[in-house]
Amino acid sequence: MTALTSPPARPEAARGSVLPSLIARLGAQHLSLIGALVVVLAVFGTLNDNYLSLGNLQVIAEAATITGLLAVVQTVVIICGGLDISVGSQAGVASVVSAMAFTSAGSNAYAGIAAAVAVGLLIGLLNGAVIVHGRVNPTIATLAGLAAYKGLAQLISDGRAQGYVLGDPVFVFLGRGRIAGLPVMVWLLVLVALAVHVLLARTDLGRNLYAIGGNDTAARLAGININKYLIAVYGLIGIVAAVAGVLLTARTGSGQPTSGSEGLELKAITAAALGGCALKGGKGGVGGTLLAVALLGCLENGLTVQGINSFWQNVAQGALLVVAVVIQQRRSGERAIGLPA
Amino acid sequence: MTALTSPPARPEAARGSVLPSLIARLGAQHLSLIGALVVVLAVFGTLNDNYLSLGNLQVIAEAATITGLLAVVQTVVIICGGLDISVGSQAGVASVVSAMAFTSAGSNAYAGIAAAVAVGLLIGLLNGAVIVHGRVNPTIATLAGLAAYKGLAQLISDGRAQGYVLGDPVFVFLGRGRIAGLPVMVWLLVLVALAVHVLLARTDLGRNLYAIGGNDTAARLAGININKYLIAVYGLIGIVAAVAGVLLTARTGSGQPTSGSEGLELKAITAAALGGCALKGGKGGVGGTLLAVALLGCLENGLTVQGINSFWQNVAQGALLVVAVVIQQRRSGERAIGLPA
Amino acid sequence: STGQQSGSGDGGVAKVDGKISITYLQKQGDQEYFVGEAAGAKARAAELGVDLKVVNLGSDANKTVSEVQSALAQKSNGLIVVVPDPAVGPQVVQAARDAKVALLTSDDQICADGPDPAACAKEQLVPRIGFSGAQMGGEVGKRAAEEFTKAGWNAADTRVISAWKQDVTVCGDRVKGARQAFDAAVPGVKAIDVATDNTPTGAQDKVAATVTANPGVKHWVVWGCNDENVQGGVTALANAGFKAEDVAGVGLGAYLACKDWKSGQPSGMKAALFINGKDVGALAVQTVYDKLKNGKEFPAEAFAPTRMVDAADWQDAGVSCG
Amino acid sequence: MTTPPDHSPPPLPPGTAGVVAVGKRFGAVRALGGVTLDFPGGQVTALMGENGAGKSTLLKILTGDHQPTEGHLHLDGHRLDLRSPADARAAGIRIIPQEPEIIPHVTVAENVYAGSLPRRAGRRLDRAELRRRILADLERLGFAGVLDPDLLGSQLTPAQRQLVEILRALTGEAKVIAFDEPTSSLSEQEVEALFALIRRLRADGVAVVYVSHRMQEIFRLADRIAVLRDGELAGVQDAAATNEGELVRLMVGRDLSAMFTRERVATDRVVLDVKGLSTDDVHGIDLRVHAGEVVGLAGLIGAGRSELALALAGDLPIRSGTATLNGKPLGGSPGAAIRAGLGLAPEERKAQALFLHRSIRDNTSVAVLERLRRFRFVRRGAEKQLAQEYTERLRVRTPSIEHEVRKLSGGNQQKVVLARWLARKPEVLILDEPTRGIDVGAKAEIYRIIADLAEQGVALLVISSELPELLGLADRIVVMQGGRITGELDRADATEEAVLHLAMADDLTPRNPSPGATS
Ligand SMILES: Nc1ncnc2c1ncn2[C@@H]1O[C@H](COP(=O)(O)OP(=O)(O)OP(=O)(O)O)[C@@H](O)[C@H]1O
Ligand SMILES: Nc1ncnc2c1ncn2[C@@H]1O[C@H](COP(=O)(O)OP(=O)(O)OP(=O)(O)O)[C@@H](O)[C@H]1O
Ligand SMILES: O[C@@H]1[C@@H](O)[C@@H](O)CO[C@H]1O
Ligand SMILES: [Mg+2]
Ligand SMILES: [Mg+2]
């Protein structure tokens, strides 16, 4: 198993034992992110004794899970040259659906989850179809989805939190359970991230996704059925966004039409971009995205723990984003728009 | 004078008298937008007697002004291959600054406006510098700006509305005045739109912006100083965003750190994209963008006037966005990602 | 111009003979409380045969101005407004007066000639059906103090979590009110301000971080801008392993608190101030109707009934729990 | 007979530019090292060398696009520091780059004058003047009928894009003009016009630098020939005093076997059968290619060859007629065509074929992944082996197969495109301008691979604008003009004249560029 990052530019490094190679690979590609993460951990760890406690690290991980899930699938769609701005709204629909189906199936959690995933898949396929068959630019199509699915979630829930799932062992397990000391939610993120990483880095499907994002004409002429891939990717997003919605329900105890899901798209896209995805496609990987999710999560938690007011938090987050990317760009030596080499 | 739209593919059409050519050109390029606009006006006009009244049309125009201003400058930056997601936050800073400077200069409106524009210019130049010299992708840089400038607005205002400008004739004139029956705000939009149109379509500066966005390597090799242009464009955005912020203050009566400016970036980008700007640069024009602003404004007003609940409004707006773009794509015959011709 | 007239003295407003049309402009129209308020208003409008439109302003002061203008262009006879920010008040008042249309505010106060209702001359305050943020906060703080005392906790190992979105003015008023009342009753308990986005998940994440950063604390008091904040905080504490008896959450709204109570499980959500949005909406519509139909003057201020409820009595109080 | 680089007297003519001890590194790759070379005014200096030898890099340094890591430039006896292409333009140095850079949504006229658009007071664009200028320049340079100034950049064919670059470089005052493989996508007619132009430039005292892999061209044009090998100057020759063999030896360091020849191995089995096929711009095509046969497709710019290839490959809609491969119908999608056994190495490597940010390995294996996978996992070992094999056979100059393709020289990128399709081994292989920008050594290898494939029974359709190449390779040459087939020549009857006759059937008078001074 190689590192959680984009398919190796140098597979030699993938040999040898797992951990050192993973660290070596992640390190080389994401030095600025790792540097920033270390600085954040060191600063807040020094300022506050409990920041680096197991408990707080778990809190950070749990808080980052839903964003993390959406950032991982955002990575996939960005790699193949698209974007999904509607993930937050999709999660909202799924959250409401899961709680309502749960309730109307006589408190059956599996019914709730199944209904949410089914609806998520449908929405994802609809996005894909609009983009592929309607020939709509992915940004615009999902911008429309952002509004439309939010409205949908509000309509079916009448704008109110729906149901109450904290009496149900399955939902409680999802929201609060632990396996081997790690929150169930975090396990879920790890699972999804690993699966997507393997898909991207090790399978021909993943290769083809990079190809599509790198040069769609070339991909088409190489025999790749771009339309099918795009629809499948948006379907996958729908499913994972539904899982995120179910977790939202499990965490808050009820189905939330907008609360908790609004703005998730921006967080997910920010993480993917900070993690090294080129917004024009063809580049990026799960490893970088997860590092970025971790960095943003640790920063937000640290600022909160230090009691920094939310206004400063905004400033700090914006500044960090720029600094991390500047370092990254300098290192990669890539030319941004119009600069001399 | 040619039409308010992207540069002529066939300059012959630009000859002849102004109005017919304008209509012909707008018509040919934006048939789906015009069609959608006509449908919207007809439907709501039939349903509601007051919808097409002069009063209501003015209300629509006034309500669309601030979005319109930002959409016009968004058009410029999209044409040259960038993006500015921080325009809303910039307007927020300007709004607060205008009110606070007004107050501390002993109720001097000109001081307030000058301070806001100066700060806007500074922020714009900072964005440009980060993108050009920091080599940061414009999306990420201004995503960071979105957070940072919002935080800045909140910090300087302590998160509260600032000052009170309704006793001042200048602000009252900006917010409520009319010239020749048209609101001053709308005149401002017309002025800015015309200036930007002339810049884009009629000056070599504008043509260079199309070159930069269409192919930055070609532009660089042609000796165009891309860095200077980008910094100037972001500076221009800063200034226009500041004007939008001043209008926000004039309209609401005080400096608003976030209220009224949050989310403006998405509206501006939506309008530019719907108006025909290709998000990858090199294409678009003021005419299409203004049409899109009008369409979105008329739709929103119509839905509200009909008493449609806000949840349905979300669904309807999303759906219309998709439909308009689908029609546009079909007509232009452009191939979206990977589609057979 | 404006200075002459008092807030309630909108003398130009004439009685309406035919069908009355009213526009209800609400901030945060997708928030649970306001969804209820709109439902109450619509139900009463239907009873009265009034043509009612409800408009969601979100948190957009600029849209407030646009929508007021739009409603006036539509020849609405009366406006009921919940402003996203009180500073936009004078603009709303001005527009309504110019058009000689009846203006009532609900929930939050506005001033005819200045941005800050707290600094407003009494006659410049616009008539209102609603509640006072400071007063509601006061009740929350009082109840929180009672819970603290009843539980027998001490100041040393107890902390207060005060959670709100820091750029929402009315939120600030509420938590300040809570703090004052609480401190007056049980001085010396340290409070931690937690900046949230006013959503349950946002509050949950922020409170979770705050809790791990304060490991010595045994008991927690939680209040905030609304039920979202308090419910999120209480859930975070439950996730962090605090038992229900070590947490005293006092909600504001009761629409989320009731879900815990309905389930019958032990909960850190000990009480909540129930504001019946439905009643507020209905009362607002009724008041405007009476004025336009019968010429009955607006009362300067009519407070919606609020009531502190808990697991034992929420159903009697009429909290409907979706 | 290597002449050592030398720029002591005799004194240099005015307008001479040059590099002194110039070197350039890209990370670990040394593209150029210590090159000292003059480009005298009023002479054509040809620059030759294998793919990746450093030719484009040298030109990019000369034109301010790259800054040298060592050494410096001079012009007219003064040291020159160029920080950008704008600096170079201002100094009178121009380039026609190897890859045309076109601005998609503006007109040809604006493309040509980008950066120096005519304007009136207040920076207002002077459209009338722009039009006047482009028409005059098109006329002056002999491209009047070939290029509509109102077309948008996105509508141009590769040849037209190349013409735009030529126009760009030839407008305004220039002292030094560098051509980086300008003819690789031009057909005879435009090539002749270009050569006439270059001769005029030389007569006007311009220092012309000319990069090409085509020996014929070099000997027709050049006064001096400089050869680069592995980033170093291998020698400078007087064109009149050298020959092909010597140049090849300088370039590759050894002799190459004589002219390529191959035996006919075609069978009677029809593999590709096209009947009455029409697309939007191609009409009534009847064409058969047999197993083991190499059919050459000749024609001028816009004759419709590439369009036919794309239609067969499933990427352009077929309006009427049929095309079958071993009886299976073609059309639908590129994927379907590939599964039916057809492969197309397209004409435009950057736009249509390459994943510039991916490795050589990824680029080579993309069309063969389904043979390289177990379940859906790519077998890395097999993949590496395949990429390694073709990289070596085609002599791709690269530090490793993991190198990103965008970092390769133009010719080496072209080899990667070919590697992909040669590795796929389809039953019908269409190669559209396969040797565009490829050096002599690698060309020979590609011809050998084509011959091998034919021997294995593959049916090959080769599109090329380089007639000698087609004449050497093809068993049969089919000629197109205006979207139709105008004739077919058997190997025995095929001569350049015969092919050109068919390609220009209606218009046999070559259009000579109108005389007149260049600036
Ligand atoms: N002068 C022209 N102006 C615009 N489009 C042209 C012109 N000539 C040809 N085309 C377009 O080019 C396509 C046919 O050319 P195609 O590229 O297939 O020809 P080709 O023989 O391969 O020549 P080339 O050497 O240019 O590749 C058609 O789409 C046609 O519309
Ligand atoms: N931007 C770059 N990054 C890394 N390496 C580069 C870059 N540009 C060129 N090189 C390397 O520099 C060397 C010289 O390349 P150059 O493009 O100058 O070759 P060339 O002689 O023009 O070849 P061709 O005939 O194929 O065009 C090659 O090894 C190439 O891989
Ligand atoms: O958010 C609160 C809501 O919970 C209700 O209390 C009414 O006022 C709003 O500001
Ligand atoms: Mg080259
Ligand atoms: Mg061709």
Side-chain angles (χ1 to χ4, degrees):
Chain A
M1 192 96 331
T2 52
L4 277 181
T5 186
S6 71
R10 321 201 158 276
E12 307 81 55
R15 291 190 208 121
S17 63
V18 181
L19 208 65
S21 97
L22 189 154
I23 292 171
R25 291 266 312 290
L26 271 183
Q29 291 191 18
H30 303 289
L31 211 66
S32 67
L33 284 180
I34 293 177
L37 189 58
V38 168
V39 169
V40 166
L41 291 176
V43 167
F44 290 111
T46 313
L47 291 173
N48 188 306
D49 291 344
N50 298 299
Y51 182 72
L52 292 176
S53 70
L54 194 66
N56 195 46
L57 293 178
Q58 285 189 347
V59 164
I60 295 176
E62 243 177 302
T65 296
I66 289 177
T67 308
L69 282 171
L70 297 179
V72 165
V73 281
Q74 200 66 246
T75 302
V76 179
V77 73
I78 292 179
I79 282 173
C80 72
L83 198 68
D84 194 338
I85 310 191
S86 69
V87 285
S89 298
Q90 292 181 49
V93 173
S95 174
V96 166
V97 166
S98 69
M100 292 177 78
F102 165 79
T103 309
S104 57
S107 296
N108 183 334
Y110 301 108
I113 296 170
V117 170
V119 170
L121 176 61
L122 270 180
I123 291 184
L125 294 177
L126 176 63
N127 279 342
V130 166
I131 290 163
V132 163
H133 298 298
R135 303 188 187 187
V136 180
N137 174 296
T139 308
I140 301 182
T142 57
L143 209 51
L146 171 75
Y149 305 140
K150 178 168 141 185
L152 181 66
Q154 292 169 321
L155 278 176
I156 55 185
S157 68
D158 199 21
R160 294 156 176 270
Q162 290 292 320
Y164 184 79
V165 302
L166 290 185
D168 181 86
V170 176
F171 275 107
V172 170
F173 177 71
L174 284 176
R176 296 194 195 151
R178 322 227 136 182
I179 300 175
L182 215 60
V184 173
M185 302 212 340
V186 177
W187 277 113
L188 256 171
L189 173 60
V190 169
L191 257 172
V192 170
L194 256 179
V196 170
H197 168 66
V198 168
L199 171 83
L200 285 177
R202 310 301 297 268
T203 70
D204 65 326
L205 300 169
R207 290 294 188 78
N208 290 344
L209 291 172
Y210 281 98
I212 291 169
N215 183 340
D216 57 343
T217 306
R220 201 177 61 234
L221 286 175
I224 299 170
N225 188 331
I226 300 183
N227 292 0
K228 264 196 204 157
Y229 274 85
L230 281 181
I231 292 183
V233 164
Y234 280 95
L236 172 73
I237 293 185
I239 292 175
V240 174
V243 171
V246 169
L247 293 182
L248 205 57
T249 303
R251 279 196 91 192
T252 60
S254 40
Q256 305 282 347
T258 54
S259 169
S261 53
E262 259 179 325
L264 280 177
E265 56 285 343
L266 212 59
K267 288 189 187 177
I269 294 170
T270 304
L274 183 60
C277 288
L279 290 180
K280 61 180 193 296
K283 228 180 121 190
V286 172
T289 299
L290 284 187
L291 263 176
V293 168
L295 174 60
L296 295 171
C298 290
L299 180 73
E300 186 171 348
N301 178 282
L303 292 169
T304 306
V305 159
Q306 278 310 106
I308 310 283
N309 109 1
S310 68
F311 310 158
W312 275 114
Q313 291 198 19
N314 282 329
V315 175
Q317 284 179 5
L320 179 97
L321 191 52
V322 164
V323 170
V325 175
V326 167
I327 300 175
Q328 213 161 4
Q329 291 294 115
R330 290 248 170 256
R331 274 184 38 80
S332 81
E334 249 180 273
R335 147 142 97 189
I337 177 170
L339 280 154
Chain B
M1 187 105 321
T2 53
L4 276 180
T5 184
S6 72
R10 317 213 155 275
E12 306 82 53
R15 292 185 206 127
S17 66
V18 181
L19 207 68
S21 99
L22 190 155
I23 292 172
R25 292 264 313 289
L26 269 183
Q29 290 191 18
H30 303 289
L31 211 67
S32 68
L33 282 180
I34 293 177
L37 189 57
V38 168
V39 170
V40 165
L41 291 175
V43 167
F44 290 113
T46 314
L47 291 174
N48 188 305
D49 290 343
N50 294 309
Y51 182 73
L52 293 176
S53 69
L54 194 66
N56 196 49
L57 293 178
Q58 284 190 348
V59 166
I60 295 176
E62 243 178 300
T65 297
I66 289 178
T67 307
L69 282 172
L70 297 178
V72 165
V73 281
Q74 199 66 245
T75 301
V76 180
V77 72
I78 292 179
I79 283 173
C80 74
L83 198 69
D84 194 339
I85 310 192
S86 68
V87 284
S89 298
Q90 293 180 49
V93 173
S95 175
V96 166
V97 167
S98 69
M100 293 177 79
F102 165 79
T103 308
S104 57
S107 296
N108 183 335
Y110 301 107
I113 296 170
V117 170
V119 170
L121 177 60
L122 269 181
I123 291 185
L125 294 178
L126 177 62
N127 279 340
V130 167
I131 289 163
V132 162
H133 299 299
R135 303 189 186 187
V136 179
N137 173 298
T139 308
I140 301 181
T142 57
L143 209 51
L146 171 75
Y149 306 140
K150 179 167 138 186
L152 180 65
Q154 292 168 323
L155 275 176
I156 54 187
S157 69
D158 199 21
R160 293 165 174 271
Q162 290 292 322
Y164 183 69
V165 302
L166 290 185
D168 181 87
V170 176
F171 275 109
V172 170
F173 176 70
L174 283 176
R176 292 189 209 151
R178 321 225 137 186
I179 301 176
L182 215 61
V184 172
M185 302 215 337
V186 177
W187 276 115
L188 255 171
L189 173 61
V190 168
L191 257 173
V192 171
L194 255 179
V196 170
H197 168 65
V198 167
L199 173 82
L200 285 177
R202 310 299 297 268
T203 70
D204 68 325
L205 299 171
R207 307 317 300 164
N208 288 345
L209 291 174
Y210 282 95
I212 292 170
N215 183 338
D216 60 341
T217 307
R220 194 166 42 85
L221 292 176
I224 297 173
N225 189 332
I226 300 183
N227 293 0
K228 266 197 203 155
Y229 275 85
L230 282 179
I231 291 182
V233 164
Y234 280 94
L236 172 73
I237 293 185
I239 292 174
V240 174
V243 171
V246 169
L247 292 183
L248 206 56
T249 302
R251 240 165 103 77
T252 62
S254 38
Q256 303 282 350
T258 54
S259 175
S261 54
E262 256 179 331
L264 279 178
E265 56 285 342
L266 213 59
K267 287 188 189 177
I269 294 169
T270 303
L274 183 60
C277 288
L279 290 179
K280 60 180 194 293
K283 216 181 136 188
V286 172
T289 299
L290 284 186
L291 265 177
V293 169
L295 175 60
L296 295 170
C298 290
L299 181 73
E300 186 173 346
N301 179 279
L303 291 169
T304 308
V305 158
Q306 277 312 104
I308 311 282
N309 108 4
S310 69
F311 307 161
W312 275 115
Q313 290 199 21
N314 284 329
V315 175
Q317 285 181 2
L320 178 97
L321 191 53
V322 164
V323 169
V325 175
V326 167
I327 300 173
Q328 213 162 4
Q329 292 292 114
R330 291 247 170 259
R331 276 182 37 77
S332 80
E334 255 182 84
R335 159 135 89 180
I337 314 185
L339 284 154
Chain C
S1 69
T2 58
Q4 306 297 68
Q5 289 163 310
S6 81
S8 50
D10 40 10
V13 178
K15 283 211 279 184
V16 178
D17 290 332
K19 193 169 172 99
I20 292 176
S21 71
I22 298 176
T23 306
Y24 205 136
L25 303 123
Q26 297 177 299
K27 74 173 182 188
Q28 298 162 28
D30 56 359
Q31 203 226 11
E32 181 133 11
Y33 167 85
F34 290 108
V35 171
E37 185 175 78
K42 281 182 191 149
R44 180 61 56 89
E47 281 168 28
L48 298 173
V50 165
D51 180 15
L52 178 79
K53 274 169 202 148
V54 179
V55 178
N56 176 11
L57 303 175
S59 54
D60 190 336
N62 183 42
K63 187 169 164 69
T64 309
V65 178
S66 306
E67 294 300 350
V68 166
Q69 288 176 346
S70 172
L72 296 175
Q74 290 297 312
K75 313 258 186 286
S76 271
N77 306 118
L79 302 183
I80 308 168
V81 183
V82 195
V83 287
D85 191 294
V88 75
Q91 290 287 50
V92 174
V93 175
Q94 186 66 49
R97 281 188 185 157
D98 288 352
K100 299 197 187 329
V101 164
L103 172 68
L104 182 72
T105 60
S106 88
D107 304 78
D108 299 333
Q109 222 159 21
I110 61 176
C111 178
D113 64 352
D116 184 5
C120 191
K122 208 165 169 214
E123 68 280 7
Q124 293 297 341
L125 283 171
V126 174
R128 148 174 101 128
I129 308 295
F131 38 69
S132 141
Q135 185 200 323
M136 288 194 308
E139 285 184 51
V140 167
K142 205 169 100 215
R143 176 66 180 245
E146 283 166 28
E147 294 292 336
F148 174 87
T149 314
K150 192 167 76 191
W153 300 340
N154 58 40
D157 59 10
T158 303
R159 291 287 180 282
V160 174
I161 282 175
S162 175
W164 82 104
K165 186 160 187 265
Q166 298 186 330
D167 59 358
V168 178
T169 318
V170 295
C171 287
D173 296 345
R174 291 177 197 175
V175 294
K176 206 158 79 190
R179 184 69 193 274
Q180 276 164 3
F182 185 86
D183 284 352
V186 282
V189 185
K190 284 198 189 120
I192 304 169
D193 290 346
V194 179
T196 73
D197 57 0
N198 272 2
T199 71
T201 36
Q204 194 173 330
D205 293 339
K206 298 290 178 140
V207 171
T210 308
V211 167
T212 50
N214 292 276
V217 179
K218 297 220 169 63
H219 312 291
W220 294 91
V221 174
V222 187
W223 67 61
C225 181
N226 51 24
D227 258 25
E228 281 84 343
N229 282 287
V230 182
Q231 200 266 353
V234 167
T235 308
L237 287 163
N239 288 351
F242 285 91
K243 295 205 190 66
E245 62 258 33
D246 292 324
V247 178
V250 182
L252 208 158
Y255 42 86
L256 290 178
C258 69
K259 289 181 182 278
D260 278 3
W261 302 331
K262 194 176 168 186
S263 78
Q265 294 189 311
S267 161
M269 192 64 114
K270 291 293 150 54
L273 186 69
F274 173 46
I275 331 160
N276 193 337
K278 281 199 172 118
D279 287 354
V280 174
L283 183 55
V285 169
Q286 183 71 53
T287 306
V288 174
Y289 177 84
D290 287 346
K291 162 130 185 156
L292 293 174
K293 200 79 200 170
N294 313 320
K296 187 174 161 200
E297 274 308 306
F298 283 151
E301 203 156 33
F303 284 102
T306 60
R307 178 176 160 186
M308 193 57 75
V309 296
D310 57 27
D313 64 0
W314 63 278
Q315 271 158 317
D316 306 337
V319 180
S320 73
C321 211
Chain D
M1 281 345 85
T2 313
T3 323
D6 165 273
H7 70 110
S8 46
L12 299 164
T16 297
V19 292
V20 179
V22 148
K24 177 73 183 174
R25 290 186 156 277
F26 295 102
V29 175
R30 197 193 66 160
L32 274 184
V35 174
T36 299
L37 180 62
D38 287 327
F39 304 108
Q43 291 189 29
V44 175
T45 305
L47 205 51
M48 298 197 74
E50 287 186 288
N51 295 131
K55 304 179 294 294
S56 296
T57 304
L58 183 59
L59 295 196
K60 285 180 181 167
I61 288 174
L62 190 64
T63 53
D65 196 16
H66 284 333
Q67 279 65 48
T69 35
E70 54 194 82
H72 68 267
L73 314 180
H74 63 83
L75 175 64
D76 267 337
H78 299 290
R79 190 183 156 131
L80 200 58
D81 279 312
L82 302 176
R83 257 158 296 133
S84 70
D87 286 356
R89 257 193 102 83
I93 304 175
R94 304 291 164 79
I95 186 172
I96 289 100
Q98 191 169 6
E99 298 285 341
E101 295 287 353
I102 300 298
I103 307 163
H105 304 290
V106 310
T107 61
V108 163
E110 281 195 37
N111 258 288
V112 169
Y113 304 103
S116 52
L117 292 167
R119 62 192 199 210
R120 289 186 296 227
R123 304 212 65 141
R124 279 172 69 86
L125 182 64
D126 189 343
R127 286 200 190 276
E129 169 65 12
L130 179 64
R131 192 164 188 79
R132 204 191 55 69
R133 256 192 225 176
I134 185 77
L135 291 177
D137 277 333
L138 281 169
E139 189 63 40
R140 176 170 66 93
L141 301 176
F143 302 133
V146 199
L147 197 52
D148 174 357
D150 290 334
L151 281 179
L152 295 183
S154 58
Q155 301 170 320
L156 302 181
T157 62
Q160 292 172 323
R161 295 160 151 259
Q162 191 74 55
L163 294 184
V164 167
E165 281 290 5
I166 293 172
L167 281 162
R168 274 182 188 157
L170 295 187
T171 57
E173 284 290 323
K175 289 180 181 162
V176 183
I177 301 186
F179 295 81
D180 197 352
E181 301 192 36
T183 55
S184 64
S185 55
L186 297 186
S187 64
E188 298 293 324
Q189 220 172 346
E190 284 73 34
V191 170
E192 287 311 320
L194 178 70
F195 283 8
L197 258 172
I198 290 176
R199 293 197 181 99
R200 271 186 287 152
L201 291 171
R202 172 169 57 192
D204 290 346
V206 173
V208 176
V209 189
Y210 191 89
V211 175
S212 175
H213 293 288
R214 299 184 182 175
M215 287 288 183
Q216 278 190 323
E217 294 181 357
I218 299 281
F219 281 104
R220 283 181 63 190
L221 277 180
D223 301 301
R224 306 161 68 232
I225 302 168
V227 176
L228 286 179
R229 189 163 79 217
D230 293 338
E232 287 173 10
L233 193 62
V236 183
Q237 308 267 309
D238 205 351
T242 185
N243 59 46
E244 254 182 65
E246 191 171 355
L247 290 177
V248 168
R249 219 165 24 252
L250 276 178
M251 280 192 275
V252 300
R254 62 190 157 91
D255 285 312
L256 278 186
S257 46
M259 254 302 274
F260 171 81
T261 50
R262 61 175 280 269
E263 296 300 312
R264 186 185 163 90
V265 293
T267 65
D268 289 338
R269 186 165 63 85
V270 174
V271 184
L272 178 67
D273 194 358
V274 183
K275 289 197 184 111
L277 180 135
S278 296
T279 69
D280 289 339
D281 296 295
V282 165
H283 313 283
I285 302 294
D286 290 304
L287 181 67
R288 291 174 167 205
V289 186
H290 302 85
E293 190 180 26
V294 179
V295 173
L297 204 48
L300 301 182
I301 290 188
R305 298 164 298 170
S306 299
E307 173 138 342
L308 173 61
L310 286 173
L312 294 176
D315 200 46
L316 284 178
I318 293 173
R319 300 297 177 201
S320 63
T322 59
T324 56
L325 195 160
N326 284 336
K328 291 168 282 184
L330 288 173
S333 69
I338 289 169
R339 278 189 301 278
L342 185 133
L344 163 66
E347 173 177 33
E348 292 180 74
R349 56 182 173 246
K350 276 197 178 159
Q352 297 179 309
L354 290 173
F355 306 102
L356 289 172
H357 290 271
R358 307 296 294 171
S359 64
I360 295 174
R361 177 175 48 79
D362 272 351
N363 271 280
T364 306
S365 65
V366 64
V368 269
L369 281 181
E370 71 229 42
R371 291 184 203 148
L372 291 173
R373 70 187 185 203
R374 190 183 296 123
F375 307 109
R376 301 221 67 125
F377 292 87
V378 177
R379 287 183 293 133
R380 298 265 182 92
E383 187 192 20
K384 276 182 69 173
Q385 209 180 344
L386 177 101
Q388 199 67 50
E389 180 191 333
Y390 281 91
T391 302
E392 278 162 21
R393 279 183 76 181
L394 293 174
R395 306 158 59 91
V396 178
R397 193 186 134 102
T398 175
S400 104
I401 57 168
E402 302 303 335
H403 214 55
E404 278 181 41
V405 163
R406 74 185 161 100
K407 294 182 179 165
L408 297 180
S409 76
N412 284 306
Q413 291 179 347
Q414 180 68 24
K415 293 177 191 168
V416 174
V417 176
L418 288 177
R420 176 187 305 164
W421 292 105
L422 298 176
R424 168 91 202 176
K425 294 202 179 71
E427 289 174 77
V428 172
L429 179 56
I430 307 178
L431 302 170
D432 196 350
E433 306 286 1
T435 59
R436 228 178 107 188
I438 297 247
D439 65 40
V440 269
K443 260 186 200 170
E445 182 59 29
I446 287 166
Y447 298 155
R448 198 157 306 126
I449 293 175
I450 289 175
D452 284 353
L453 290 174
E455 260 163 51
Q456 292 161 29
V458 174
L460 287 123
L461 187 60
V462 179
I463 302 174
S464 174
S465 298
E466 220 183 324
L467 276 185
E469 171 170 294
L470 275 191
L471 295 174
L473 264 180
D475 298 314
R476 220 164 16 110
I477 294 184
V478 173
V479 187
M480 288 181 72
Q481 191 206 353
R484 299 178 189 279
I485 291 180
T486 50
E488 185 179 317
L489 297 163
D490 209 62
R491 183 184 189 119
D493 319 323
T495 59
E496 292 203 23
E497 292 69 31
V499 172
L500 277 176
H501 183 84
L502 289 170
M504 305 191 288
D506 287 337
D507 173 22
L508 291 177
T509 43
R511 282 170 306 150
N512 283 321
S514 54
T518 53
S519 45

